[in-house]
Amino acid sequence: MNEIYVALDFPTWQEAKQFLDEHHLDGVPVKVGMELFYREGNFVIEQLQRHNHPIFLDLKLHDIPTTVERAMRNIAKLDVDFVNVHASGGSEMMNRAKEGLLSGGSKKTKLLAVTILTSFSEEAMQKELNIEMPLEAQVVHLASLAMVNGADGVVCSVHEVERIKAVCGKQFITMTPGIRLSAGEEHDQKRIATPKLARQLGTDYIVIGRSITRSENPLQAYERALEEFKNGI
């Protein structure tokens, strides 16, 4: 299994397709976020599945439990590999999200819960969200809450993976964005890492966006990331 998801942060399917076709990224796992999904809807998922792309549907749902359950019932029919909610939506919301996936008939979609966005620093979390505990402790708390309420794993930074695995078990999935091929590329992320460090810290899946999509040679960048993540080279 290929554990690297390329973030398709494009405004239209036409642009995403052109990128994948031009750079021969056939069948690579991809992350579809709000920008692309809200423009193209189910169509983009169907097109990607026709070309054998595993899909992480990154919608970060956060609403009252009934609404999230009903949304997940619809998403279940898309049969993507991963979909996510915000863990801060609480126990009942996450529970109902899982119920929606199951009642919607999905046989493979795994539910992930977003802990603290990788764009947040500890200082911002404490000042803006008024959460006084250390960032890692809050992430682990949300991961534990997600695990007991039906989530298959979490979205977190690589820096929290070891602690999450220690508390929730190695089988609990960690999907980690904020991955850069160059240590100097932060963009709008704060808690970042390289593919090599992500592997060393034991994460299961990584998401890479601009380091690949804005590379002069995206296929080469993707292959470099694979080599680094799988073999630490």
Side-chain angles (χ1 to χ4, degrees):
M1 179 184 290
N2 192 330
E3 300 97 343
I4 298 181
Y5 282 72
V6 176
L8 292 183
D9 295 327
F10 297 96
T12 67
W13 163 240
Q14 183 178 359
E15 291 171 75
K17 183 179 186 302
Q18 182 178 352
F19 168 77
L20 293 169
D21 290 347
E22 281 187 3
H23 301 293
H24 309 290
L25 293 165
D26 310 302
V28 303
V30 294
K31 180 182 80 73
V32 174
M34 287 182 274
E35 180 183 20
L36 185 56
F37 188 75
Y38 290 167
R39 170 69 179 261
E40 305 288 0
N42 295 357
F43 172 78
V44 68
I45 304 300
E46 294 162 359
Q47 292 301 310
L48 287 165
Q49 288 172 335
R50 282 182 58 191
H51 292 86
N52 301 313
H53 292 279
I55 299 167
F56 166 26
L57 185 55
D58 182 27
L59 298 183
K60 301 183 181 74
L61 299 184
H62 189 164
D63 211 316
I64 63 172
T66 299
T67 298
V68 171
E69 180 181 1
R70 290 173 177 171
M72 282 295 181
R73 212 175 288 155
N74 288 329
I75 289 170
K77 293 174 176 55
L78 299 177
D79 217 25
V80 296
D81 295 86
F82 297 99
V83 68
N84 58 1
V85 298
H86 269 289
S88 56
S91 296
E92 185 181 356
M93 191 201 76
M94 287 188 281
N95 226 307
R96 298 279 289 276
K98 186 69 171 185
E99 288 177 13
L101 284 176
L102 295 174
S103 64
S106 175
K107 299 192 186 313
K108 73 174 184 179
T109 304
K110 295 190 181 302
L111 177 66
L112 302 179
V114 178
T115 53
I116 298 294
L117 296 172
T118 52
S119 58
F120 261 92
S121 65
E122 184 167 286
E123 180 183 14
M125 183 195 75
Q126 293 175 346
K127 286 186 176 180
E128 296 178 22
L129 301 184
N130 201 28
I131 297 172
E132 296 182 357
M133 69 171 62
L135 188 146
E136 183 182 84
Q138 176 66 4
V139 168
V140 173
H141 165 68
L142 290 172
S144 300
L145 193 68
M147 181 183 67
V148 299
N149 284 284
D152 300 289
V154 290
V155 180
C156 62
S157 91
V158 297
H159 304 289
E160 295 106 35
V161 168
E162 286 186 311
R163 183 69 180 140
I164 289 171
K165 293 285 189 180
V167 172
C168 299
K170 291 187 177 180
Q171 79 289 345
F172 194 62
I173 296 166
T174 53
M175 174 79 73
T176 52
I179 304 298
R180 301 287 181 263
L181 289 176
S182 167
E185 298 175 357
E186 292 191 14
H187 303 304
D188 55 355
Q189 306 277 12
K190 300 295 186 296
R191 293 162 18 248
I192 64 173
T194 62
K196 180 179 180 180
L197 180 60
R199 171 55 77 196
Q200 289 172 344
L201 294 178
T203 197
D204 299 297
Y205 301 93
I206 61 176
V207 179
I208 306 181
R210 283 167 281 197
S211 286
I212 291 175
T213 57
R214 295 189 182 179
S215 169
E216 290 184 6
N217 189 328
L219 177 59
Q220 187 178 74
Y222 186 77
E223 290 173 341
R224 173 187 159 194
L226 272 178
E227 180 73 8
E228 190 176 328
F229 188 63
K230 289 180 179 294
N231 302 312
I233 298 172

